[in-house]
Amino acid sequence: MTSDVGTNWAGNLSYRASRLAEPQSLDALADLVRGAPRLRMLGSRHSFNDLADTDGVLVSLAALAGAQPSVAADRRTVRVPAGIRYGDLVPFLQAEGLALANLASLPHISVAGAVQTGTHGSGDAIGTLATQVAALELITGTGERLRLARGDADFAGAVVALGALGAVTHVELDVEPAYEVRQRVFEGARWDAVLPAYDEVTAAGDSVSLFTTWADPDVVGQVWVKSRTTRDEPDLAFVGAAPADGPRHPIPGVDPQPCTPQQGQPGAWFDRLPHFRLAFTPSVGAELQSEYLVARTDAAAAIEALRPLAGRIAPLLHVCEVRTMAADDLWLSPASGRPTVGIHFTWRPDEPAVRQLLPEIEAALPASARPHWGKISTLPADAVRARFPQWSRFAQLRERLDPQHRFGNAYLARLGL
Ligand SMILES: Cc1cc2nc3c(=O)[nH]c(=O)nc-3n(C[C@H](O)[C@H](O)[C@H](O)COP(=O)(O)OP(=O)(O)OC[C@H]3O[C@@H](n4cnc5c(N)ncnc54)[C@H](O)[C@@H]3O)c2cc1C
């Protein structure tokens, strides 16, 4: 029997859950957690796989997400309801004159969903969005209310945790004084120039993305550079790239209207760091996504490994994006223990064909490649587990906080959890 819980954002998954619960209070959420034998938390539905699904009750915190965030007395953190979308948090931060260190490509996603899946933007010196978490509050699988802060023994296991430990109710995020950013799109770079100078290219701004369609395996396509206005204007002439003569969408030929302003025009951090604006459909909409996150030392080898596959990849692809992120110590983070480069694929919505191609991509990529938890991958479970050195610690933490696997689901079971 199918439920009427609906689909994920991409529409490639109909949730199997028996019903959707939207508790109006934390006490009602706690009652749900105590009473339901199987349940799973739902964010803004932007994952492309069955990570958020359950055969029990799906629980959305949307009804609690409107609660007002609060700024700590030292103004270094803000406590937010876990279900809030970044795009809805921004006006509050703006009014307070505060900012986050980074955002993902879109502001449409919930804080808890992003953090639990290791969602990231780009930046050599900037960690994934999960590294902005100073503390989180959850109701565990045993019904216990728990607050874990940075430095607490279990904290590093609980921030990126695949929804497996319980219901995250609040998140405390690091904030800093608001700042302005410029972004500029460059065109004309070729891989043979970029790969030997990769570190210089990604250092050209605070947040750099390379976009390629693989239509020509020698051509990068676009380089997006976002920098705080306190930095010098970037110049990528050394890799043969010149500023674009107008606004661009990452996918060549698509109307750039949904994109944040470019061409070096200074603006608020939240209106430059994401590629896409909240009021518009991000990316293309009719799409699927995969992403592999390799050790930064393997970045050039990973790109070189993909170039021979360009002819297989390009017909299924909208665009591929390459981003960087700083190392962190969060057990299941894609950047756990090493500076990381994410190689992301926005696919046309042909899931069988994508799933047929992915094993070839996965076989070609270096063994440091970790799959994005919220996107489509066919990497076998033993390879996934082996690529997260803290995996068994996480499995033990999960047994402690949810011994009856009430927050378990088919996705976690496939990973052996
Ligand atoms: C157009 C588009 C662009 C994207 N861009 C990026 C990008 O730039 N960078 C990137 O890294 N990823 C990106 N993603 C992927 C996306 O960020 C992740 O899939 C993320 O999980 C989405 O958050 P969500 O709120 O939709 O989570 P959902 O898909 O709803 O849930 C994801 C997981 O979080 C858990 N969860 C949600 N809420 C809670 C809670 N309160 N307590 C405990 N667990 C919870 C769920 O159980 C599930 O395990 C993109 C996706 C789309 C569709």
Side-chain angles (χ1 to χ4, degrees):
M1 193 183 75
T2 53
S3 71
D4 57 2
V5 173
T7 72
N8 63 345
W9 174 86
N12 67 315
L13 175 87
S14 293
Y15 294 109
R16 296 172 55 230
S18 55
R19 69 184 174 96
L20 177 68
E22 294 188 276
Q24 309 281 321
S25 68
L26 286 183
D27 285 342
L29 172 64
D31 286 347
L32 252 173
V33 173
R34 276 191 294 271
R38 293 274 281 182
L39 74 163
R40 195 82 183 139
M41 303 306 292
L42 183 66
S44 59
R45 303 175 181 239
H46 283 81
S47 291
F48 292 87
N49 55 35
D50 60 348
L51 176 62
D53 205 3
T54 175
D55 51 12
V57 181
L58 211 43
V59 183
S60 163
L61 298 187
L64 297 174
Q68 189 75 340
S70 58
V71 179
D74 65 6
R75 297 186 62 78
R76 289 186 171 179
T77 55
V78 58
R79 179 176 179 267
V80 306
I84 197 169
R85 301 184 307 166
Y86 285 94
D88 296 325
L89 173 58
V90 153
F92 173 83
L93 293 177
Q94 185 186 12
E96 291 283 342
L98 294 171
L100 301 170
N102 206 2
L103 289 164
S105 69
L106 75 176
H108 306 64
I109 50 179
S110 77
V111 170
V115 159
Q116 288 280 302
T117 55
T119 289
H120 60 90
S122 190
D124 291 357
I126 313 176
T128 69
L129 301 188
T131 63
Q132 298 166 5
V133 177
L136 77 174
E137 295 161 43
L138 65 161
I139 302 177
T140 70
T142 59
E144 184 195 359
R145 287 195 189 187
L146 197 60
R147 178 179 181 274
L148 292 170
R150 201 180 271 135
D152 290 350
D154 295 331
F155 175 79
V159 184
V160 182
L162 317 183
L165 306 181
V168 177
T169 60
H170 292 89
V171 183
E172 292 171 35
L173 297 171
D174 293 333
V175 286
E176 58 185 291
Y179 53 88
E180 290 210 320
V181 173
R182 289 188 192 101
Q183 72 175 330
R184 211 172 260 291
V185 176
F186 291 82
E187 292 174 318
R190 297 173 74 80
W191 288 114
D192 286 344
V194 166
L195 290 183
Y198 185 64
D199 288 348
E200 289 84 348
V201 172
T202 66
D206 295 316
S207 169
V208 174
S209 291
L210 311 184
F211 285 98
T212 187
T213 63
W214 292 115
D216 180 337
D218 297 330
V219 169
V220 176
Q222 300 176 4
V223 183
W224 288 40
V225 181
K226 303 172 195 260
S227 302
R228 295 192 186 200
T229 46
T230 45
R231 280 182 67 141
D232 289 342
E233 277 274 6
D235 180 356
L236 291 184
F238 68 100
V239 290
D245 61 5
R248 295 287 187 269
H249 192 282
I251 301 166
V254 173
D255 181 353
Q257 200 196 8
C259 298
T260 49
Q262 303 163 17
Q263 298 185 283
Q265 193 189 324
W269 60 280
F270 55 81
D271 200 25
R272 298 293 182 279
L273 293 175
H275 304 326
F276 304 107
R277 296 193 277 167
L278 183 63
F280 293 84
T281 299
S283 197
V284 271
E287 67 189 67
L288 300 170
Q289 296 186 9
S290 303
E291 186 168 12
Y292 300 93
L293 299 113
V294 302
R296 182 165 181 137
T297 47
D298 287 338
I303 297 292
E304 290 292 8
L306 292 175
R307 287 171 78 175
L309 293 174
R312 307 282 314 284
I313 295 171
L316 289 176
L317 191 72
H318 284 299
V319 80
C320 179
E321 180 178 12
V322 182
R323 288 177 280 186
T324 64
M325 62 216 80
D328 63 52
D329 65 352
L330 304 174
W331 301 349
L332 296 194
S333 164
S336 191
R338 80 243 171 134
T340 291
V341 170
I343 304 176
H344 158 91
F345 301 84
T346 301
W347 301 109
R348 295 177 189 278
D350 183 349
E351 190 160 350
V354 168
R355 286 187 174 276
Q356 207 179 353
L357 179 61
L358 288 181
E360 281 186 63
I361 291 175
E362 289 158 357
L365 289 173
S368 64
R370 297 168 175 166
H372 190 303
W373 297 118
K375 302 182 182 180
I376 297 174
S377 148
T378 58
L379 260 186
D382 53 352
V384 176
R385 287 192 296 262
R387 293 172 190 200
F388 289 89
Q390 311 285 346
W391 184 266
S392 55
R393 278 176 95 185
F394 179 75
Q396 286 163 21
L397 176 63
R398 191 278 189 115
E399 288 305 319
R400 219 165 1 102
L401 298 191
D402 185 18
Q404 294 175 312
H405 299 184
R406 297 164 71 216
F407 285 88
N409 70 355
Y411 179 111
L412 298 183
R414 288 197 300 275
L415 288 171
L417 285 172

